[in-house]
Amino acid sequence: MRFAVTKVCGGGGGKARLGALHIGTGGGIETPALLLSTRKGLPAFVSCDLLASLPLPDSLLLHVCPTHFMEGPPLKTISSIGGLHRMLGLPDHILIAAAGDSIESLPACEATNKFGASFETPSGRRLVKPSDYMELISCMKPNLWASLADEVPAWVTEKRNKISVDRTLRWLDACIALDPDSGTNTLGVVVGGSSIEQRKLCAAEVSKRNVSGFWIGGFGFGESIEERCNLLNAVTDCLPPEKPRLVSRLGLPEEVLEGVAAGIDLFDSTYIYQLTMGGFALIFPVDMVEREMQNGVFNNSGPDYSKINLRATTYRKDTSRLVDSCSCFTCQNHTRAYLNHLLNVHEMLAQILLEIHNTHHYLRFFRSIREAIKVGEFDLFRQQFVENRRAHIAAAVL
């Protein structure tokens, strides 16, 4: 794995950065980028053949959860097939593994102990030890994998934060010791709850290990917006700039922009899955950088609401596309009225078409972020995006 920062945007200590991630012999993937969430290796409603219709190479990054495979094919079977790439039929995709997610493998810190991390899964609560975890990794053969971690919510005590850091560092050392490659494909996990001191300590200690990058965990567990911003900046200040940083569970557009501003390169999120399950379609403008600049302000007079609920009766006779400028399969072939019908008769095709569009749309959003960094206008892009969203929300309330 090779990673290089190609541009840093923002005056006065700005951290938003453009990078290139190279894994294997394929071409590089520009960052900031999104990891598509999966269930047992594939997006929930997108099959292998449909993956090819998503924007490339942006859609090559997939987050896989090893604990999903604790129930299913025996690990020896996965290994004898040749790992997940061959089992899933995705030889060119980049699989990045981490123990937990926000769909089917939720961290259960109250049941975690010194022996391993606990997760709430569809088959019940499971305790995963470092040796168990590394057996999963060795059989799955992902391109990159995050070490086992003890993630805690924001409301725990300082003592519990310290324990989580100590356990995470100990498990990182155990995982590297069990890894035949000695950690060259490892992402060291940074935890510490809502404690800036423990976050800094964990980041500094993980940086001393032989890891390829960093997985910043423990977010989305009750911290406030102000806390999150301070924690992100405190962590990234302690990490070496030449290695990639990945953060989990920051999925909303505003959260992504906040992460990019703090110097994050990769984002793992179930936002698209949650939108799709709720019957929502993303429609917010994503081509702001391509619009003409007038007096230093983006000319963005179009609508700025972020999503629509296609279950609503108002779309029953709406024959327009989801987004006129979108080139995805859904927008090119179907209408809002058809999607409303599919949702209301509980056809799974609704989720398939929605996930295709939402994924396509969100990958375009990340592309716009990269374009803003390239032209040195990320701060303005972020400011205008957030202000327009707030203005629409205020208008909707009134």
Side-chain angles (χ1 to χ4, degrees), residues 20-33:
L21 179 67
H22 298 265
I23 297 180
T25 58
I29 294 179
E30 283 191 326
T31 63

Side-chain angles (χ1 to χ4, degrees), residues 115-225:
F115 300 108
S118 184
F119 299 93
E120 294 286 357
T121 71
S123 58
R125 185 172 289 177
R126 302 294 295 263
L127 183 70
V128 182
K129 302 176 183 178
S131 57
D132 301 329
Y133 183 66
M134 290 310 298
E135 184 182 5
L136 287 163
I137 294 296
S138 65
C139 293
M140 293 168 58
K141 299 178 177 61
N143 298 98
L144 295 172
W145 53 273
S147 57
L148 199 61
D150 181 13
E151 297 183 88
V152 296
W155 54 82
V156 300
T157 63
E158 185 70 14
K159 180 181 178 181
R160 182 66 180 88
N161 283 328
K162 185 177 185 304
I163 291 173
S164 83
V165 171
D166 292 341
R167 286 175 179 170
T168 299
L169 294 174
R170 188 169 68 252
W171 294 342
L172 172 59
D173 292 335
C175 288
I176 292 176
L178 293 168
D179 180 24
D181 297 321
S182 301
T184 54
N185 297 316
T186 306
L187 300 175
V189 181
V190 178
V191 295
S194 59
S195 170
I196 289 181
E197 180 183 349
Q198 292 300 321
R199 287 271 182 180
K200 287 183 175 180
L201 172 64
C202 190
E205 288 298 319
V206 172
S207 300
K208 297 176 183 178
R209 270 68 172 181
N210 180 34
V211 296
S212 295
F214 307 95
W215 185 293
I216 305 173
F219 287 104
F221 289 133
E223 75 279 357
S224 66
I225 296 175

Side-chain angles (χ1 to χ4, degrees), residues 2 68 72 75 112 174 183 186 189 205 227 280 299 322:
R2 293 180 292 113
H68 289 183
L75 293 181
T112 295
T186 306
V189 181
E205 288 298 319
E227 282 180 322
F280 290 94
N299 180 19
L322 293 176

Side-chain angles (χ1 to χ4, degrees), residues 190-366:
V190 178
V191 295
S194 59
S195 170
I196 289 181
E197 180 183 349
Q198 292 300 321
R199 287 271 182 180
K200 287 183 175 180
L201 172 64
C202 190
E205 288 298 319
V206 172
S207 300
K208 297 176 183 178
R209 270 68 172 181
N210 180 34
V211 296
S212 295
F214 307 95
W215 185 293
I216 305 173
F219 287 104
F221 289 133
E223 75 279 357
S224 66
I225 296 175
E226 293 76 14
E227 282 180 322
R228 183 188 305 138
C229 183
N230 293 332
L231 291 168
L232 276 174
N233 283 291
V235 169
T236 54
D237 286 342
C238 297
L239 298 177
E242 69 274 9
K243 294 183 179 181
R245 300 101 173 246
L246 189 153
V247 70
S248 59
R249 301 185 187 89
L250 297 188
L252 295 174
E254 295 87 350
E255 294 174 339
V256 169
L257 292 171
E258 182 181 19
V260 172
I264 301 298
D265 304 299
L266 298 166
F267 294 80
D268 156 47
S269 168
T270 58
Y271 181 55
I272 293 173
Y273 171 79
Q274 292 163 348
L275 285 171
T276 301
M277 289 300 293
F280 290 94
L282 290 172
I283 61 167
F284 63 84
V286 293
D287 58 344
M288 300 169 76
V289 175
E290 300 170 6
R291 301 182 184 194
E292 293 184 2
M293 296 279 290
Q294 296 182 355
N295 300 321
V297 178
F298 284 108
N299 180 19
N300 183 26
S301 57
D304 196 32
Y305 35 88
S306 64
K307 59 185 182 292
I308 55 174
N309 183 357
L310 287 165
R311 297 183 191 275
T313 55
T314 185
Y315 300 110
R316 193 171 67 175
K317 298 181 180 180
D318 190 338
T319 58
S320 61
R321 300 177 180 180
L322 293 176
V323 177
D324 288 335
S325 61
C326 183
S327 60
C328 77
F329 175 86
T330 303
C331 288
Q332 292 299 310
N333 293 278
H334 300 293
T335 64
R336 298 181 179 188
Y338 181 57
L339 289 165
N340 171 269
H341 163 72
L342 292 176
L343 284 167
N344 286 319
V345 297
H346 307 290
E347 274 285 351
M348 192 177 75
L349 180 58
Q351 280 75 36
I352 294 173
L353 295 175
L354 275 178
E355 187 164 36
I356 289 173
H357 168 74
N358 287 333
T359 303
H360 197 282
H361 195 85
Y362 220 41
L363 291 177
R364 287 178 63 204
F365 172 60
F366 273 83

